[in-house]
């Protein structure tokens, strides 16, 4: 049986009791009707849950939708730090904007000096924990960048696995928007829900760029039910963090430490792992690297055995 550890999905599906509650909701919902404009009940729920007002929250069809909108409205050069999430470049290219790349340093920290020296940047995107390297970006470095006053996205998709919370920075910096998602810790990649937290003026300006019925009622409702079941999310996150540490310790000759639900590998093991029926992420822009998602224990065991065999034969 093929093991899929390529997309940083959650190893666990949403729990059965949540699915039943969801089915009950579907039975009594008129799907011929449009969603309530702006999905106020979901915004309020996410606001309460994350400690903000609903006017500080924007929800999107995956955080991808919010990235798309934010990049579109930059209308100029966008600064990124490679290696990082490839969709930033994808959207920038779609809109014909230039990406100014200031590569991460060899320890994957931000090259703040070089970032500060760039001119005419309309939007900065920082990914933390960074995909694919897995490390957190230092809070002090993020703050140094925010001091520039340039609109800045902190893509925090792997927040729940990381132990670092950047939301205090929102009290001080109006140019910051933090993006999070239900796709990873919440096991809802198939439902497509992401959200942003920022100053209320920033949020109301972005909302103007969003279609009125941007999301379907079913995804919205399931997100609400999952927030009510947050203890299950926490259990799954704890499991994955434990597995991540076990996985890393077993293969550390070839992997970097990670604060997300994946490991960045020092070799391109894509073809080797494929021969073992394990699908990992090939990184076309990084010839000699690859990325593997932390799965369930039994999946990780298979992957660890294969990587250990690789290490013993090749290193
Ligand atoms: N940001 C990062 C860093 C990601 O890795 C991903 C998903 N792979 C996303 C954003 C997009 O997430 P979503 O499913 O919410 O669109």
């Amino acid at each position: 049986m093929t093991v899929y550890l390529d997309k940083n999905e959650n190893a666990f599906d949403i729990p059965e009791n949540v699915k039943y509650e969801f089915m009950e909701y579907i039975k009594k919902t008129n799907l011929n009707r449009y969603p309530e404009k702006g999905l106020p009940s979901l915004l309020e729920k996410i606001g309460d849950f994350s400690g903000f007002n609903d006017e500080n929250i924007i929800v999107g069809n995956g955080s991808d939708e919010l990235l798309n909108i934010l990049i579109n409205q930059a209308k100029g050069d966008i600064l990124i730090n490679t290696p990082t999430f490839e969709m930033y470049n994808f959207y920038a290219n779609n809109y014909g904007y230039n990406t100014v790349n200031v590569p991460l340093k060899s320890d994957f920290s931000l090259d703040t000096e070089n970032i500060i020296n760039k001119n005419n940047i309309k939007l900065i995107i920082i990914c933390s924990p960074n995909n694919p390297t897995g490390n957190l970006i230092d809070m002090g470095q993020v703050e140094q960048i925010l001091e520039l006053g340039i609109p800045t996205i902190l893509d925090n998709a792997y927040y729940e696995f990381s132990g670092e919370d950047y939301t205090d920075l929102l009290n001080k910096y109006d140019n910051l928007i933090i993006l999070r998602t239900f796709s990873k810790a919440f096991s809802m990649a198939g439902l497509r829900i992401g959200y942003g937290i920022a100053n209320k003026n920033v949020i109301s300006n972005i909302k103007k760029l969003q279609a009125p019925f941007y999301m379907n009622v079913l995804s919205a409702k399931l997100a609400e039910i999952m927030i009510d079941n947050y203890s299950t999310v926490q259990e799954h996150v704890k499991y994955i963090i434990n597995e991540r540490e076990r996985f890393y310790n077993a293969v550390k000759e070839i992997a970097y430490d990670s604060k997300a639900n994946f490991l960045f590998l020092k070799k391109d093991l894509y073809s080797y792992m494929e021969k073992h029926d394990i699908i990992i992420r090939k990184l076309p822009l990084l010839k000699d690297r690859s990325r593997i998602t932390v799965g369930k224990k039994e999946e990780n065991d298979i992957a660890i055995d294969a990587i250990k065999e690789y290490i013993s034969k090749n290193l």
Side-chain angles (χ1 to χ4, degrees):
M1 205 186 63
T2 308
V3 175
Y4 290 94
L5 297 174
D6 56 334
K7 294 199 189 73
N8 296 345
E9 294 151 335
N10 199 307
F12 297 90
D13 193 359
I14 57 172
E16 203 132 287
N17 68 306
V18 169
K19 287 196 175 174
Y20 279 116
E21 197 178 330
F22 184 49
M23 276 164 5
E24 287 307 310
Y25 171 78
I26 296 175
K27 276 196 232 159
K28 57 179 201 260
T29 300
N30 296 324
L31 296 176
N32 57 321
R33 302 292 176 193
Y34 283 104
E36 193 176 350
K37 213 169 153 188
L39 297 172
S41 108
L42 178 61
L43 290 183
E44 200 178 316
K45 192 118 203 168
I46 294 176
D48 286 349
F49 168 74
S50 49
F52 286 86
N53 287 325
D54 48 358
E55 54 194 3
N56 297 113
I57 307 290
I58 182 166
V59 184
N61 192 21
S63 49
D64 269 346
E65 186 202 353
L66 300 175
L67 281 170
N68 186 8
I69 294 175
L70 289 163
I71 290 172
N72 181 11
Q73 59 108 54
K75 313 268 181 252
D77 288 1
I78 294 163
L79 191 142
I80 61 168
N81 312 273
T82 60
T84 195
F85 188 42
E86 286 162 15
M87 292 302 284
Y88 310 146
N89 213 6
F90 170 87
Y91 289 126
N93 283 341
N94 274 356
Y95 295 116
Y97 305 152
N98 201 22
T99 43
V100 175
N101 180 25
V102 179
L104 294 172
K105 291 185 169 178
S106 56
D107 62 356
F108 306 138
S109 63
L110 282 186
D111 186 348
T112 42
E113 243 172 78
N114 252 319
I115 295 175
I116 289 165
N117 284 332
K118 299 288 178 199
N119 295 317
N120 271 323
I121 302 296
K122 298 290 187 251
L123 176 70
I124 297 174
I125 310 181
I126 299 171
C127 188
S128 182
N130 185 43
N131 178 5
T133 55
N135 62 301
L136 275 166
I137 302 298
D138 175 72
M139 181 90 69
Q141 285 202 314
V142 174
E143 200 160 354
Q144 259 183 294
I145 301 305
L146 290 170
E147 283 290 332
L148 299 173
I150 298 168
T152 299
I153 299 174
L154 186 102
D155 184 346
N156 205 196
Y158 301 94
Y159 158 65
E160 294 86 349
F161 305 102
S162 74
E164 183 73 290
D165 186 344
Y166 296 91
T167 51
D168 276 352
L169 294 173
L170 292 166
N171 299 323
K172 202 166 159 197
Y173 298 99
D174 285 353
N175 52 325
L176 170 65
I177 179 162
I178 296 179
L179 296 187
R180 290 185 179 163
T181 181
F182 282 78
S183 298
K184 311 295 177 181
F186 283 81
S187 302
M188 289 173 56
L191 277 292
R192 315 301 305 123
I193 304 181
Y195 63 102
I197 318 173
N199 169 278
K200 65 175 187 189
N201 297 326
V202 173
I203 294 293
S204 75
N205 283 332
I206 318 169
K207 280 183 182 162
K208 287 180 198 149
L209 305 169
Q210 201 173 30
F213 305 117
Y214 55 90
M215 191 188 290
N216 69 78
V217 286
L218 303 184
S219 294
K221 184 64 186 179
L222 196 52
E224 289 189 35
I225 304 175
M226 277 304 276
I227 291 175
D228 291 338
N229 285 269
Y230 191 61
S231 59
T232 312
V233 174
Q234 282 174 309
E235 268 169 44
H236 292 167
V237 166
K238 200 170 154 209
Y239 175 106
I240 291 164
I241 291 174
N242 283 338
E243 278 298 296
R244 177 187 76 203
E245 295 310 304
R246 183 176 78 88
F247 201 144
Y248 170 68
N249 283 314
V251 301
K252 59 164 91 147
E253 293 97 321
I254 206 177
Y256 294 93
D257 187 17
S258 168
K259 296 290 180 209
N261 66 343
F262 56 84
L263 295 176
F264 187 45
L265 301 176
K266 297 178 184 177
K267 296 272 179 223
D268 177 4
L269 296 191
Y270 179 82
S271 304
Y272 171 83
M273 297 294 269
E274 197 186 17
K275 284 187 202 118
H276 287 75
D277 249 352
I278 305 163
I279 307 300
I280 66 169
R281 180 79 158 91
K282 197 170 173 60
L283 300 166
L285 302 177
L286 296 171
K287 275 199 279 356
D288 50 357
R289 300 277 187 271
S290 51
R291 192 196 70 196
I292 185 162
T293 306
V294 177
K296 286 206 178 136
K297 183 177 182 311
E298 50 280 20
E299 297 169 322
N300 300 333
D301 282 341
I302 295 169
I304 289 169
D305 284 349
I307 296 176
K308 277 186 152 170
E309 189 189 310
Y310 177 90
I311 293 171
S312 70
K313 289 193 180 144
N314 295 279
L315 297 187

